[in-house]
Amino acid sequence: AQKVTQAQTEISVVEKEDVTLDCVYETRDTTYYLFWYKQPPSGELVFLIRRNSFDEQNEISGRYSWNFQKSTSSFNFTITASQVVDSAVYFCALSNQGSSYKLIFGSGTRLLVRP
Amino acid sequence: DVKVTQSSRYLVKRTGEKVFLECVQDMDHENMFWYRQDPGLGLRLIYFSYDVKMKEKGDIPEGYSVSREKKERFSLILESASTNQTSMYLCASSLGQAPHGYTFGSGTRLTVV
């Protein structure tokens, strides 16, 4: 079975704090892809990153960084020095052969960054 | 700027009405998807299509149907709207069979009264 768990329903931080959003996935496939999307109040999901299962190198993009650990089936997302504009719902998603490469989403984490 | 366009941002319909949600993409993508988003449940796949006139059921197809007569357009149909179909509906498209990221529309918030 394929499943994505985002245990944090809502997180509230003060601007400039660092925050980590957790994502745990389940799959039996050896080849799979993990994604993070951001959904701002406007509603449109915005693609942030895709990572394949053979690339465990962590990635940094500006204030965003991702930590992929196959040993714990986790793909966590950290925002450094958070800003009010980071307030959004963030979704982690999984795609693999078992799902015919359709995206399977977690339930999302709502991040509120207070000034 | 490439995009996925959903025809309505907000929609209010009465119970029992037949409802059409339209989605158009201009990226020549083969794949199109309809999801609904509910608090605490994330995005759940209703139907998807890999090609014109092709459709496959997702995880929650009951009460819905779809139509894809042209590559760029994917319509979601609520045959007889019910209050439990009040939700945010998101359309997405993607390129080919590879697991590319999806491009999403802005969503349609449907309220059934």
Side-chain angles (χ1 to χ4, degrees):
Chain A
Q2 289 76 231
K3 186 179 178 182
V4 177
T5 301
Q6 294 180 256
Q8 303 152 308
T9 304
E10 189 165 323
I11 301 174
S12 180
V13 300
V14 176
E15 203 170 19
K16 297 184 183 176
E17 282 186 32
D18 298 347
V19 57
T20 295
L21 309 182
D22 297 333
C23 173
V24 174
Y25 62 91
E26 295 176 32
T27 179
R28 291 180 183 158
D29 286 6
T30 55
T31 301
Y32 52 89
Y33 298 82
L34 296 164
F35 300 78
W36 275 95
Y37 283 85
K38 174 183 180 179
Q39 186 182 38
S42 60
E44 183 174 333
L45 271 78
V46 177
F47 168 80
L48 295 178
I49 190 172
R50 181 185 75 176
R51 177 60 92 220
N52 74 57
S53 53
F54 298 108
D55 182 3
E56 286 193 74
Q57 203 170 22
N58 291 331
E59 180 156 341
I60 298 174
S61 176
R63 295 184 297 107
Y64 295 171
S65 62
W66 290 269
N67 183 358
F68 176 29
Q69 292 196 339
K70 288 176 74 170
S71 60
T72 56
S73 297
S74 65
F75 186 43
N76 296 338
F77 173 32
T78 297
I79 302 174
T80 303
S82 60
Q83 299 176 2
V84 173
V85 293
D86 296 326
S87 296
V89 181
Y90 291 86
F91 289 96
C92 181
L94 166 70
S95 170
N96 60 7
Q97 189 173 5
S99 67
S100 300
Y101 292 110
K102 299 186 299 294
L103 281 181
I104 300 165
F105 286 87
S107 55
T109 297
R110 181 176 298 278
L111 173 65
L112 175 63
V113 181
R114 294 171 279 125
Chain B
D1 194 19
V2 293
K3 60 170 61 175
V4 175
T5 302
Q6 294 184 231
S7 54
S8 302
R9 188 77 175 97
Y10 298 95
L11 213 51
V12 180
K13 296 292 182 181
R14 294 191 181 279
T15 301
E17 277 193 73
K18 190 169 186 177
V19 181
F20 294 85
L21 303 184
E22 305 289 345
C23 176
V24 177
Q25 51 96 2
D26 63 2
M27 296 165 284
D28 202 34
H29 283 173
E30 289 87 351
N31 309 323
M32 297 189 75
F33 307 84
W34 275 107
Y35 286 87
R36 66 176 280 177
Q37 180 181 0
D38 300 288
L41 297 178
L43 277 72
R44 293 179 292 166
L45 182 63
I46 304 171
Y47 266 97
F48 61 101
S49 169
Y50 286 141
D51 202 350
V52 176
K53 296 192 185 295
M54 288 184 62
K55 58 185 178 183
E56 292 194 38
K57 293 179 180 179
D59 300 317
I60 52 165
E62 296 78 19
Y64 303 95
S65 63
V66 290
S67 172
R68 195 168 181 199
E69 296 296 319
K70 294 184 177 181
K71 190 175 185 179
E72 67 270 19
R73 184 181 297 271
F74 192 36
S75 303
L76 179 69
I77 304 158
L78 285 67
E79 298 291 343
S80 177
S82 63
T83 55
N84 63 14
Q85 292 178 309
T86 292
S87 186
M88 169 71 92
Y89 290 87
L90 290 160
C91 176
S93 71
S94 72
L95 179 66
Q97 288 293 320
H100 299 285
Y102 292 6
T103 301
F104 281 87
S106 298
T108 296
R109 186 167 294 281
L110 172 67
T111 301
V112 182
V113 298

